[in-house]
Coordinates of all heavy atoms in Angstrom, one line a residue:
M1 N 17.6 -5.5 -25.7 CA 16.3 -5.3 -26.4 C 15.4 -6.5 -26.2 O 15.9 -7.7 -26.3 CB 16.6 -5.0 -27.8 CG 15.4 -4.4 -28.5 SD 15.7 -4.3 -30.3 CE 14.1 -4.8 -30.9
V2 N 14.1 -6.3 -26.1 CA 13.2 -7.4 -25.9 C 13.0 -8.1 -27.3 O 12.7 -7.4 -28.3 CB 11.8 -6.9 -25.4 CG1 10.8 -8.1 -25.3 CG2 12.0 -6.2 -24.1
Q3 N 13.2 -9.4 -27.3 CA 12.9 -10.1 -28.6 C 11.5 -10.5 -28.7 O 10.9 -11.0 -27.7 CB 13.8 -11.4 -28.6 CG 15.2 -11.2 -28.6 CD 15.7 -10.7 -30.0 OE1 15.2 -11.1 -31.0 NE2 16.6 -9.7 -30.0
R4 N 10.8 -10.3 -29.8 CA 9.5 -10.7 -30.0 C 9.1 -10.9 -31.4 O 9.9 -10.4 -32.3 CB 8.5 -9.6 -29.4 CG 8.5 -8.3 -30.1 CD 7.3 -7.5 -29.7 NE 7.5 -6.9 -28.4 CZ 8.1 -5.8 -28.1 NH1 8.6 -5.1 -29.1 NH2 8.1 -5.4 -26.9
T5 N 8.1 -11.6 -31.7 CA 7.7 -11.9 -33.1 C 6.6 -10.9 -33.5 O 6.3 -10.8 -34.7 CB 7.2 -13.3 -33.2 OG1 6.1 -13.6 -32.2 CG2 8.3 -14.3 -33.0
S6 N 5.9 -10.2 -32.6 CA 4.9 -9.3 -33.0 C 4.9 -8.1 -32.0 O 5.5 -8.2 -30.9 CB 3.5 -9.9 -33.0 OG 3.2 -10.4 -31.7
L7 N 4.3 -7.0 -32.4 CA 4.3 -5.8 -31.6 C 3.4 -6.1 -30.4 O 2.5 -6.9 -30.5 CB 3.7 -4.6 -32.3 CG 4.7 -4.1 -33.4 CD1 4.0 -2.9 -34.1 CD2 6.0 -3.5 -32.7
P8 N 3.7 -5.5 -29.2 CA 2.8 -5.7 -28.1 C 1.4 -5.1 -28.4 O 1.2 -4.2 -29.1 CB 3.4 -4.8 -27.0 CG 4.4 -3.9 -27.6 CD 4.8 -4.5 -28.9
S9 N 0.4 -5.8 -27.8 CA -1.0 -5.4 -28.0 C -1.7 -5.3 -26.7 O -1.3 -5.9 -25.7 CB -1.8 -6.3 -28.9 OG -2.1 -7.5 -28.2
F10 N -2.7 -4.4 -26.6 CA -3.5 -4.3 -25.4 C -4.1 -5.6 -25.0 O -3.9 -6.0 -23.8 CB -4.6 -3.2 -25.6 CG -5.4 -3.0 -24.3 CD1 -4.9 -2.4 -23.2 CD2 -6.7 -3.6 -24.2 CE1 -5.6 -2.3 -22.1 CE2 -7.4 -3.4 -23.1 CZ -6.9 -2.8 -22.0
A11 N -4.8 -6.3 -25.9 CA -5.5 -7.5 -25.5 C -4.6 -8.6 -25.0 O -4.8 -9.3 -24.0 CB -6.3 -8.0 -26.7
K12 N -3.4 -8.7 -25.6 CA -2.5 -9.8 -25.3 C -1.6 -9.5 -24.1 O -1.3 -10.3 -23.3 CB -1.6 -10.1 -26.6 CG -0.6 -11.2 -26.4 CD 0.0 -11.6 -27.7 CE 0.7 -10.5 -28.5 NZ 2.0 -10.0 -27.9
D13 N -1.1 -8.2 -24.1 CA 0.0 -7.9 -23.1 C -0.5 -7.1 -21.9 O 0.2 -7.1 -20.9 CB 1.1 -7.2 -23.9 CG 1.7 -8.1 -25.0 OD1 2.3 -9.1 -24.7 OD2 1.4 -7.7 -26.2
I14 N -1.5 -6.2 -22.1 CA -1.8 -5.3 -21.1 C -3.0 -5.7 -20.3 O -3.0 -5.7 -19.0 CB -2.0 -3.8 -21.7 CG1 -0.8 -3.4 -22.5 CG2 -2.3 -2.8 -20.6 CD1 0.5 -3.4 -21.8
M15 N -4.1 -6.0 -21.0 CA -5.3 -6.3 -20.3 C -5.2 -7.4 -19.2 O -5.8 -7.3 -18.1 CB -6.5 -6.6 -21.3 CG -7.8 -6.4 -20.6 SD -9.1 -6.3 -21.9 CE -9.3 -7.9 -22.4
P16 N -4.4 -8.5 -19.5 CA -4.3 -9.5 -18.5 C -3.6 -9.1 -17.2 O -3.8 -9.8 -16.2 CB -3.4 -10.6 -19.2 CG -3.5 -10.3 -20.6 CD -3.7 -8.8 -20.8
M17 N -3.0 -7.9 -17.2 CA -2.4 -7.4 -15.9 C -3.4 -6.7 -15.0 O -3.1 -6.5 -13.8 CB -1.2 -6.4 -16.2 CG -0.1 -7.1 -17.0 SD 1.4 -6.2 -17.0 CE 1.0 -4.9 -18.2
F18 N -4.6 -6.4 -15.5 CA -5.6 -5.8 -14.7 C -6.5 -6.9 -14.1 O -7.0 -7.8 -14.8 CB -6.5 -4.9 -15.6 CG -5.8 -3.7 -16.1 CD1 -5.9 -3.4 -17.5 CD2 -5.1 -2.8 -15.3 CE1 -5.2 -2.3 -18.0 CE2 -4.4 -1.7 -15.8 CZ -4.5 -1.5 -17.2
R19 N -6.7 -6.8 -12.8 CA -7.5 -7.8 -12.1 C -9.0 -7.5 -12.2 O -9.3 -6.3 -12.5 CB -7.1 -7.8 -10.6 CG -5.7 -8.1 -10.3 CD -5.3 -7.7 -8.9 NE -5.5 -6.3 -8.6 CZ -5.2 -5.7 -7.4 NH1 -4.7 -6.4 -6.5 NH2 -5.5 -4.4 -7.3
P20 N -9.8 -8.5 -12.1 CA -11.3 -8.2 -12.1 C -11.7 -7.1 -11.2 O -12.5 -6.2 -11.5 CB -11.9 -9.5 -11.7 CG -10.9 -10.6 -12.1 CD -9.6 -9.9 -11.9
D21 N -11.1 -7.0 -10.0 CA -11.4 -5.9 -9.0 C -10.9 -4.6 -9.5 O -11.6 -3.5 -9.2 CB -10.8 -6.2 -7.7 CG -11.6 -7.2 -6.9 OD1 -12.7 -7.7 -7.4 OD2 -11.2 -7.6 -5.8
D22 N -9.8 -4.5 -10.2 CA -9.3 -3.2 -10.8 C -10.4 -2.7 -11.8 O -10.8 -1.5 -11.7 CB -8.0 -3.4 -11.5 CG -6.9 -3.8 -10.6 OD1 -6.9 -3.5 -9.5 OD2 -6.0 -4.6 -11.1
I23 N -10.8 -3.6 -12.6 CA -11.8 -3.3 -13.7 C -13.1 -2.8 -13.0 O -13.7 -1.8 -13.4 CB -12.0 -4.5 -14.6 CG1 -10.7 -4.7 -15.4 CG2 -13.1 -4.2 -15.6 CD1 -10.6 -6.1 -16.0
A24 N -13.6 -3.6 -12.1 CA -14.9 -3.3 -11.4 C -14.8 -2.0 -10.6 O -15.8 -1.2 -10.7 CB -15.3 -4.4 -10.5
C25 N -13.7 -1.7 -9.9 CA -13.6 -0.5 -9.1 C -13.6 0.8 -10.0 O -14.1 1.8 -9.7 CB -12.3 -0.5 -8.3 SG -12.5 -0.7 -6.6
M26 N -12.9 0.7 -11.1 CA -12.7 1.8 -12.0 C -13.8 2.1 -13.0 O -13.9 3.2 -13.4 CB -11.3 1.7 -12.7 CG -10.1 1.8 -11.8 SD -10.2 3.1 -10.5 CE -10.4 4.5 -11.5
R27 N -14.6 1.1 -13.3 CA -15.6 1.3 -14.3 C -16.6 2.4 -13.9 O -16.9 3.3 -14.8 CB -16.4 0.0 -14.5 CG -17.5 0.1 -15.6 CD -18.3 -1.1 -15.8 NE -17.5 -2.3 -16.2 CZ -17.4 -3.4 -15.5 NH1 -18.1 -3.6 -14.4 NH2 -16.7 -4.4 -16.0
P28 N -17.1 2.5 -12.7 CA -18.0 3.6 -12.3 C -17.4 5.0 -12.5 O -18.1 6.0 -12.6 CB -18.4 3.4 -10.9 CG -18.0 2.0 -10.6 CD -16.9 1.7 -11.5
M29 N -16.0 5.1 -12.5 CA -15.4 6.4 -12.6 C -15.1 6.7 -14.1 O -14.4 7.7 -14.4 CB -14.1 6.4 -11.8 CG -14.3 6.6 -10.3 SD -12.8 6.4 -9.4 CE -13.2 4.9 -8.5
G30 N -15.5 5.8 -15.0 CA -15.3 6.0 -16.4 C -13.9 5.6 -16.9 O -13.6 5.9 -18.0
V31 N -13.1 4.9 -16.0 CA -11.8 4.4 -16.4 C -12.0 3.0 -16.8 O -12.2 2.1 -16.0 CB -10.8 4.6 -15.3 CG1 -9.4 4.0 -15.7 CG2 -10.6 6.1 -14.9
R32 N -12.0 2.7 -18.1 CA -12.5 1.4 -18.7 C -11.3 0.5 -19.0 O -10.9 0.4 -20.2 CB -13.4 1.7 -19.8 CG -14.6 2.6 -19.4 CD -15.5 3.0 -20.5 NE -16.2 1.9 -21.1 CZ -17.0 2.0 -22.1 NH1 -17.2 3.1 -22.7 NH2 -17.6 0.9 -22.5
L33 N -10.8 -0.1 -18.0 CA -9.5 -0.8 -18.1 C -9.6 -2.1 -18.9 O -8.6 -2.6 -19.4 CB -9.0 -1.2 -16.7 CG -8.7 0.0 -15.8 CD1 -8.3 -0.6 -14.4 CD2 -7.6 0.8 -16.3
N34 N -10.8 -2.6 -19.2 CA -11.0 -3.8 -20.0 C -11.6 -3.5 -21.4 O -12.0 -4.4 -22.1 CB -11.9 -4.8 -19.3 CG -13.3 -4.4 -19.2 OD1 -13.6 -3.2 -19.2 ND2 -14.2 -5.3 -18.9
N35 N -11.5 -2.2 -21.8 CA -12.1 -1.8 -23.0 C -11.0 -1.3 -24.0 O -10.5 -0.2 -23.9 CB -13.1 -0.7 -22.8 CG -13.9 -0.3 -24.0 OD1 -13.3 -0.2 -25.1 ND2 -15.1 0.1 -23.9
P36 N -10.7 -2.2 -25.0 CA -9.6 -1.8 -25.9 C -9.9 -0.5 -26.7 O -8.9 0.3 -26.9 CB -9.5 -3.0 -26.9 CG -10.2 -4.1 -26.2 CD -11.2 -3.5 -25.3
D37 N -11.1 -0.2 -27.0 CA -11.5 1.0 -27.7 C -11.1 2.2 -26.8 O -10.6 3.2 -27.3 CB -12.9 1.1 -28.1 CG -13.3 0.1 -29.2 OD1 -12.3 -0.3 -30.0 OD2 -14.4 -0.3 -29.4
W38 N -11.5 2.1 -25.6 CA -11.2 3.3 -24.6 C -9.7 3.4 -24.4 O -9.2 4.5 -24.4 CB -12.0 3.0 -23.3 CG -12.0 4.2 -22.4 CD1 -12.9 5.3 -22.4 CD2 -11.0 4.5 -21.4 NE1 -12.5 6.2 -21.5 CE2 -11.4 5.7 -20.8 CE3 -9.9 3.8 -20.9 CZ2 -10.7 6.3 -19.7 CZ3 -9.2 4.4 -19.8 CH2 -9.6 5.6 -19.3
M39 N -9.1 2.3 -24.1 CA -7.7 2.3 -23.8 C -6.8 2.7 -25.0 O -5.6 3.2 -24.7 CB -7.2 0.9 -23.2 CG -7.7 0.6 -21.8 SD -6.9 1.7 -20.6 CE -5.2 1.2 -20.7
T40 N -7.3 2.5 -26.2 CA -6.4 2.9 -27.3 C -7.0 4.1 -28.1 O -6.6 4.4 -29.2 CB -6.3 1.7 -28.3 OG1 -7.6 1.4 -28.9 CG2 -5.7 0.5 -27.6
D41 N -7.9 4.8 -27.5 CA -8.4 6.0 -28.0 C -7.3 7.1 -28.2 O -6.6 7.4 -27.2 CB -9.5 6.6 -27.1 CG -10.2 7.8 -27.7 OD1 -9.6 8.5 -28.6 OD2 -11.3 8.2 -27.2
P42 N -7.0 7.5 -29.4 CA -5.9 8.4 -29.6 C -6.1 9.8 -29.2 O -5.2 10.6 -29.2 CB -5.7 8.3 -31.2 CG -7.0 7.9 -31.7 CD -7.7 7.1 -30.7
G43 N -7.3 10.1 -28.7 CA -7.6 11.5 -28.4 C -6.8 12.0 -27.2 O -6.4 11.3 -26.3
G44 N -6.5 13.3 -27.2 CA -5.8 14.0 -26.1 C -6.7 14.7 -25.2 O -7.9 14.7 -25.4
D45 N -6.2 15.3 -24.2 CA -6.9 16.2 -23.3 C -6.0 17.3 -22.9 O -4.9 17.4 -23.4 CB -7.5 15.4 -22.1 CG -6.4 14.9 -21.1 OD1 -5.2 15.3 -21.3 OD2 -6.7 14.1 -20.2
P46 N -6.4 18.2 -22.0 CA -5.6 19.4 -21.7 C -4.2 18.9 -21.1 O -3.2 19.7 -21.2 CB -6.4 20.1 -20.6 CG -7.8 19.8 -20.9 CD -7.8 18.3 -21.4
E47 N -4.1 17.7 -20.5 CA -2.9 17.3 -19.9 C -2.0 16.5 -20.8 O -0.7 16.7 -20.8 CB -3.2 16.5 -18.7 CG -2.0 16.3 -17.7 CD -2.4 15.7 -16.4 OE1 -3.6 15.5 -16.2 OE2 -1.5 15.4 -15.6
Y48 N -2.6 15.7 -21.7 CA -1.8 14.8 -22.6 C -2.2 15.1 -24.0 O -3.4 15.1 -24.3 CB -2.1 13.3 -22.2 CG -1.7 13.0 -20.8 CD1 -2.7 12.9 -19.8 CD2 -0.4 12.8 -20.4 CE1 -2.4 12.6 -18.5 CE2 0.0 12.5 -19.1 CZ -1.0 12.4 -18.2 OH -0.7 12.1 -16.9
P49 N -1.2 15.2 -24.9 CA -1.5 15.6 -26.3 C -2.2 14.6 -27.1 O -3.0 14.9 -28.0 CB -0.1 15.9 -26.9 CG 0.9 15.1 -26.0 CD 0.3 15.1 -24.6
D50 N -2.0 13.3 -26.7 CA -2.7 12.2 -27.4 C -2.7 11.0 -26.5 O -2.1 11.0 -25.5 CB -2.0 11.8 -28.8 CG -0.5 11.4 -28.6 OD1 -0.1 11.2 -27.4 OD2 0.2 11.2 -29.6
Y51 N -3.6 10.0 -26.8 CA -3.7 8.8 -26.1 C -3.9 9.1 -24.6 O -3.2 8.5 -23.7 CB -2.6 7.8 -26.3 CG -2.6 7.3 -27.7 CD1 -1.8 7.9 -28.7 CD2 -3.4 6.3 -28.1 CE1 -1.8 7.4 -30.0 CE2 -3.5 5.8 -29.4 CZ -2.7 6.4 -30.4 OH -2.7 5.9 -31.7
A52 N -4.7 10.1 -24.3 CA -4.8 10.6 -22.9 C -5.3 9.5 -21.9 O -4.9 9.4 -20.8 CB -5.8 11.8 -22.8
N53 N -6.2 8.7 -22.4 CA -6.7 7.6 -21.5 C -5.6 6.7 -21.0 O -5.4 6.5 -19.8 CB -7.8 6.8 -22.2 CG -9.1 7.6 -22.4 OD1 -9.3 8.6 -21.8 ND2 -9.9 7.1 -23.3
A54 N -4.9 6.2 -22.0 CA -3.8 5.2 -21.7 C -2.7 6.0 -20.9 O -2.1 5.4 -20.0 CB -3.2 4.6 -22.9
R55 N -2.4 7.2 -21.2 CA -1.3 7.9 -20.5 C -1.7 8.3 -19.1 O -0.9 8.3 -18.2 CB -1.0 9.2 -21.3 CG -0.3 8.9 -22.7 CD 0.2 10.2 -23.2 NE 0.5 10.1 -24.7 CZ 1.6 9.5 -25.2 NH1 2.4 8.9 -24.5 NH2 1.7 9.5 -26.5
R56 N -3.0 8.6 -18.9 CA -3.5 8.9 -17.5 C -3.4 7.7 -16.6 O -3.0 7.7 -15.5 CB -4.9 9.5 -17.6 CG -5.3 10.1 -16.3 CD -6.4 11.2 -16.4 NE -7.0 11.2 -17.7 CZ -8.1 10.6 -18.1 NH1 -8.8 9.9 -17.2 NH2 -8.6 10.7 -19.3
V57 N -3.8 6.5 -17.2 CA -3.7 5.3 -16.5 C -2.2 5.0 -16.1 O -1.9 4.6 -15.0 CB -4.3 4.1 -17.3 CG1 -3.9 2.7 -16.8 CG2 -5.8 4.2 -17.3
F58 N -1.3 5.2 -17.1 CA 0.1 4.9 -16.8 C 0.6 5.8 -15.7 O 1.4 5.4 -14.9 CB 0.9 5.1 -18.1 CG 2.4 4.7 -17.8 CD1 2.8 3.4 -17.6 CD2 3.4 5.7 -17.8 CE1 4.1 3.1 -17.3 CE2 4.7 5.4 -17.6 CZ 5.1 4.1 -17.3
A59 N 0.2 7.1 -15.7 CA 0.7 8.0 -14.7 C 0.4 7.5 -13.3 O 1.3 7.6 -12.4 CB 0.1 9.4 -15.0
V60 N -0.8 7.0 -13.1 CA -1.1 6.6 -11.7 C -0.4 5.3 -11.4 O 0.0 5.0 -10.2 CB -2.6 6.5 -11.4 CG1 -3.3 7.9 -11.6 CG2 -3.3 5.5 -12.3
L61 N -0.2 4.4 -12.4 CA 0.5 3.2 -12.1 C 1.9 3.5 -11.8 O 2.5 2.9 -10.8 CB 0.5 2.3 -13.4 CG -0.9 1.7 -13.8 CD1 -0.8 1.1 -15.2 CD2 -1.3 0.6 -12.8
Q62 N 2.5 4.4 -12.5 CA 3.9 4.7 -12.3 C 4.1 5.4 -10.9 O 5.1 5.2 -10.2 CB 4.5 5.6 -13.4 CG 5.9 5.8 -13.4 CD 6.5 6.5 -14.6 OE1 5.9 7.6 -15.0 NE2 7.5 6.1 -15.2
K63 N 3.2 6.3 -10.6 CA 3.2 7.0 -9.3 C 3.1 6.0 -8.2 O 3.5 6.2 -7.0 CB 2.1 8.0 -9.3 CG 2.3 9.1 -8.3 CD 1.3 10.3 -8.6 CE -0.1 9.8 -8.7 NZ -1.1 10.9 -8.7
G64 N 2.4 4.9 -8.4 CA 2.2 3.9 -7.4 C 0.9 4.1 -6.6 O 0.6 3.5 -5.6
S65 N 0.1 5.1 -7.1 CA -1.2 5.4 -6.3 C -2.3 4.4 -6.7 O -3.2 4.2 -6.0 CB -1.6 6.8 -6.6 OG -1.8 7.1 -8.0
M66 N -2.2 3.8 -7.9 CA -3.1 2.7 -8.3 C -2.3 1.5 -8.8 O -1.3 1.7 -9.5 CB -4.0 3.3 -9.5 CG -5.0 4.3 -9.1 SD -6.3 3.6 -8.1 CE -6.7 5.0 -7.1
P67 N -2.8 0.3 -8.6 CA -3.9 0.0 -7.7 C -3.6 0.4 -6.2 O -2.4 0.3 -5.8 CB -4.1 -1.5 -7.8 CG -2.9 -2.0 -8.5 CD -2.2 -0.9 -9.2
P68 N -4.6 0.7 -5.4 CA -4.3 1.3 -4.1 C -3.7 0.2 -3.1 O -3.0 0.6 -2.2 CB -5.7 1.6 -3.6 CG -6.6 1.6 -4.7 CD -6.0 0.7 -5.8
D69 N -3.9 -1.1 -3.3 CA -3.4 -2.0 -2.4 C -2.0 -2.5 -2.7 O -1.3 -2.8 -1.8 CB -4.4 -3.3 -2.4 CG -4.5 -3.9 -3.7 OD1 -4.5 -3.2 -4.7 OD2 -4.5 -5.2 -3.8
Q70 N -1.6 -2.5 -3.9 CA -0.4 -3.1 -4.3 C 0.2 -2.5 -5.6 O -0.3 -2.8 -6.7 CB -0.7 -4.6 -4.6 CG 0.5 -5.4 -5.1 CD 1.0 -6.4 -4.1 OE1 0.5 -6.4 -2.9 NE2 1.9 -7.2 -4.4
P71 N 1.2 -1.6 -5.5 CA 1.7 -1.0 -6.7 C 2.3 -2.0 -7.7 O 2.7 -3.1 -7.2 CB 2.8 -0.1 -6.2 CG 2.6 0.1 -4.8 CD 1.8 -1.1 -4.3
W72 N 2.2 -1.7 -9.0 CA 2.7 -2.6 -10.0 C 4.3 -2.8 -9.8 O 4.9 -1.8 -9.6 CB 2.4 -2.1 -11.4 CG 1.1 -2.5 -11.9 CD1 0.0 -3.0 -11.2 CD2 0.7 -2.5 -13.3 NE1 -1.0 -3.2 -12.0 CE2 -0.6 -3.0 -13.3 CE3 1.3 -2.2 -14.5 CZ2 -1.3 -3.1 -14.5 CZ3 0.6 -2.3 -15.6 CH2 -0.7 -2.7 -15.7
P73 N 4.8 -4.0 -10.1 CA 6.3 -4.1 -10.1 C 6.8 -3.4 -11.3 O 6.1 -3.2 -12.3 CB 6.4 -5.7 -10.2 CG 5.1 -6.2 -10.6 CD 4.1 -5.2 -10.3
D74 N 8.1 -3.1 -11.3 CA 8.7 -2.4 -12.4 C 8.6 -3.1 -13.7 O 8.5 -2.5 -14.7 CB 10.2 -2.1 -12.0 CG 10.4 -1.0 -11.0 OD1 9.4 -0.3 -10.7 OD2 11.5 -0.9 -10.5
A75 N 8.7 -4.4 -13.6 CA 8.7 -5.2 -14.9 C 7.3 -5.0 -15.6 O 7.3 -4.9 -16.8 CB 8.9 -6.7 -14.6
W76 N 6.2 -4.9 -14.8 CA 4.9 -4.6 -15.4 C 4.9 -3.2 -16.0 O 4.3 -3.0 -17.1 CB 3.8 -4.8 -14.4 CG 3.6 -6.2 -14.0 CD1 4.5 -7.3 -14.0 CD2 2.3 -6.8 -13.5 NE1 3.9 -8.4 -13.5 CE2 2.6 -8.2 -13.2 CE3 1.1 -6.3 -13.3 CZ2 1.6 -9.0 -12.7 CZ3 0.1 -7.1 -12.8 CH2 0.3 -8.5 -12.5
L77 N 5.4 -2.2 -15.3 CA 5.5 -0.9 -15.9 C 6.2 -0.8 -17.2 O 5.9 -0.1 -18.1 CB 6.1 0.1 -14.8 CG 5.3 0.3 -13.5 CD1 6.2 1.1 -12.5 CD2 4.0 0.9 -13.8
T78 N 7.3 -1.6 -17.3 CA 8.1 -1.7 -18.5 C 7.3 -2.2 -19.6 O 7.4 -1.7 -20.8 CB 9.4 -2.5 -18.3 OG1 10.1 -1.9 -17.2 CG2 10.2 -2.6 -19.5
V79 N 6.5 -3.3 -19.4 CA 5.7 -3.9 -20.4 C 4.7 -2.8 -20.9 O 4.5 -2.7 -22.1 CB 4.9 -5.1 -19.8 CG1 3.8 -5.6 -20.8 CG2 5.9 -6.2 -19.5
Y80 N 4.1 -2.1 -20.0 CA 3.1 -1.0 -20.4 C 3.7 0.1 -21.2 O 3.2 0.5 -22.2 CB 2.4 -0.5 -19.1 CG 1.2 0.4 -19.3 CD1 -0.1 -0.1 -18.9 CD2 1.2 1.6 -19.9 CE1 -1.2 0.6 -19.1 CE2 0.1 2.4 -20.1 CZ -1.2 1.9 -19.7 OH -2.3 2.6 -19.9
Q81 N 4.9 0.5 -20.8 CA 5.7 1.6 -21.4 C 6.1 1.1 -22.8 O 6.0 1.9 -23.8 CB 6.9 1.9 -20.6 CG 7.3 3.3 -20.7 CD 8.2 3.7 -19.5 OE1 8.7 2.8 -18.8 NE2 8.4 4.9 -19.3
D82 N 6.4 -0.2 -23.0 CA 6.8 -0.7 -24.2 C 5.6 -0.8 -25.2 O 5.7 -0.5 -26.4 CB 7.3 -2.2 -23.9 CG 8.1 -2.8 -25.1 OD1 9.0 -2.1 -25.6 OD2 7.8 -3.9 -25.5
W83 N 4.5 -1.1 -24.6 CA 3.2 -1.1 -25.4 C 3.0 0.3 -26.0 O 2.7 0.5 -27.1 CB 2.1 -1.6 -24.6 CG 0.7 -1.4 -25.2 CD1 0.2 -2.0 -26.3 CD2 -0.3 -0.5 -24.7 NE1 -1.1 -1.5 -26.5 CE2 -1.4 -0.6 -25.5 CE3 -0.4 0.4 -23.6 CZ2 -2.6 0.1 -25.3 CZ3 -1.5 1.1 -23.4 CH2 -2.6 1.0 -24.3
M84 N 3.1 1.3 -25.1 CA 2.8 2.7 -25.5 C 3.9 3.1 -26.6 O 3.5 3.7 -27.6 CB 2.9 3.7 -24.3 CG 1.8 3.5 -23.3 SD 1.6 4.9 -22.1 CE 3.2 4.8 -21.3
A85 N 5.1 2.8 -26.4 CA 6.2 3.2 -27.3 C 6.0 2.5 -28.7 O 6.5 3.0 -29.7 CB 7.5 2.8 -26.7
N86 N 5.3 1.4 -28.7 CA 5.1 0.7 -30.0 C 3.7 1.0 -30.6 O 3.2 0.1 -31.4 CB 5.3 -0.8 -29.8 CG 6.8 -1.1 -29.7 OD1 7.5 -1.1 -30.8 ND2 7.4 -1.3 -28.5
G87 N 3.1 2.1 -30.2 CA 1.9 2.5 -31.0 C 0.5 2.2 -30.4 O -0.5 2.4 -31.0
F88 N 0.5 1.8 -29.1 CA -0.8 1.6 -28.4 C -1.8 0.7 -29.2 O -2.9 1.0 -29.4 CB -1.6 3.0 -28.2 CG -0.8 4.0 -27.4 CD1 0.1 4.8 -28.0 CD2 -1.1 4.2 -26.1 CE1 0.8 5.8 -27.3 CE2 -0.5 5.2 -25.3 CZ 0.5 6.0 -26.0
A89 N -1.2 -0.4 -29.7 CA -2.0 -1.3 -30.5 C -3.1 -2.0 -29.7 O -2.9 -2.3 -28.5 CB -1.1 -2.4 -31.1
P90 N -4.3 -2.1 -30.2 CA -5.4 -2.8 -29.5 C -5.2 -4.2 -29.2 O -5.7 -4.8 -28.3 CB -6.7 -2.6 -30.4 CG -6.2 -2.2 -31.7 CD -4.8 -1.6 -31.5
Ligands
HEM101 C1 -4.5 -1.3 -12.2 C2 -5.4 -0.9 -11.4 C3 -6.0 0.5 -11.4 C4 -5.8 1.5 -12.3 C5 -4.9 1.6 -13.5 C6 -6.6 2.7 -11.8 C7 -6.6 3.9 -12.4 C8 -7.1 5.0 -11.9 C9 -7.1 6.4 -12.5 C10 -6.5 6.7 -13.8 C11 -7.7 7.2 -11.6 C12 -7.8 8.7 -11.8 C13 -9.2 9.0 -12.4 C14 -9.3 10.3 -13.0 O1 -8.3 11.0 -13.2 O2 -10.4 10.7 -13.2 C15 -8.1 6.5 -10.4 C16 -8.8 7.0 -9.3 C17 -9.3 6.2 -8.3 N1 -9.3 4.8 -8.2 FE1 -8.2 3.5 -9.4 N2 -7.2 2.3 -10.6 C18 -6.9 1.0 -10.4 C19 -7.4 0.2 -9.3 C20 -8.3 0.7 -8.4 C21 -8.9 -0.2 -7.4 C22 -8.7 -1.7 -7.2 C23 -9.8 0.6 -6.7 C24 -10.7 0.3 -5.5 C25 -10.3 -0.5 -4.6 C26 -9.6 2.0 -7.2 C27 -10.2 3.1 -6.7 C28 -10.0 4.4 -7.1 C29 -10.5 5.6 -6.5 C30 -11.4 5.6 -5.2 C31 -10.1 6.7 -7.2 C32 -10.4 8.2 -7.0 C33 -9.6 8.7 -5.9 C34 -8.1 8.7 -6.1 O3 -7.7 9.2 -7.1 O4 -7.4 8.1 -5.2 N3 -8.7 2.0 -8.2 N4 -7.8 5.1 -10.6

């Protein structure tokens, strides 16, 4: 089990993994990788029951289709998954 003193948060643990180019490329498509309100929006969609924005982002990261040049290492996916499992804190 991962030892920590506080729960993972988007600002501290997740946002630093997105590069400026990731953020810039995705912004025109409405995928707001540097926006805690958007990334932690609890709303669902037809595909995901809740937290659809964060879950849709995770789906492409896990598939390896995003980012297009260099898939995330497994350790980064684990950090993201751990953040989701602990409540999608901003
Ligand atoms: C960590 C980095 C990235 C994440 C999490 C990400 C996330 C996503 C997501 C969730 C979609 C699907 C959008 C939808 O369902 O409406 C998408 C599509 C797309 N992204 Fe990214 N993206 C990343 C990096 C990039 C970069 C760096 C580029 C440009 C060089 C890019 C270009 C595109 C394009 C062209 C699409 C639409 C076509 C496709 O699905 O392949 N993305 N991305």
Side-chain angles (χ1 to χ4, degrees):
M1 197 187 138
V2 179
Q3 293 289 320
R4 67 166 71 87
T5 53
S6 63
L7 288 176
S9 74
F10 178 74
K12 177 168 59 72
D13 302 292
I14 307 301
M15 203 163 73
M17 298 194 287
F18 296 127
R19 304 165 298 184
D21 281 358
D22 296 328
I23 293 160
C25 250
M26 294 315 302
R27 182 182 299 121
M29 283 173 248
V31 176
R32 305 175 65 182
L33 298 175
N34 66 340
N35 184 324
D37 289 338
W38 189 87
M39 286 292 295
T40 63
D41 183 340
D45 69 7
E47 196 169 354
Y48 301 101
D50 60 6
Y51 294 96
N53 293 340
R55 293 191 197 282
R56 191 154 13 95
V57 164
F58 183 69
V60 297
L61 290 169
Q62 190 174 45
K63 198 164 52 164
S65 57
M66 292 286 149
D69 58 321
Q70 174 112 355
W72 273 20
D74 285 348
W76 289 27
L77 295 172
T78 301
V79 170
Y80 194 111
Q81 214 160 13
D82 195 47
W83 167 67
M84 294 195 295
N86 281 284
F88 300 84

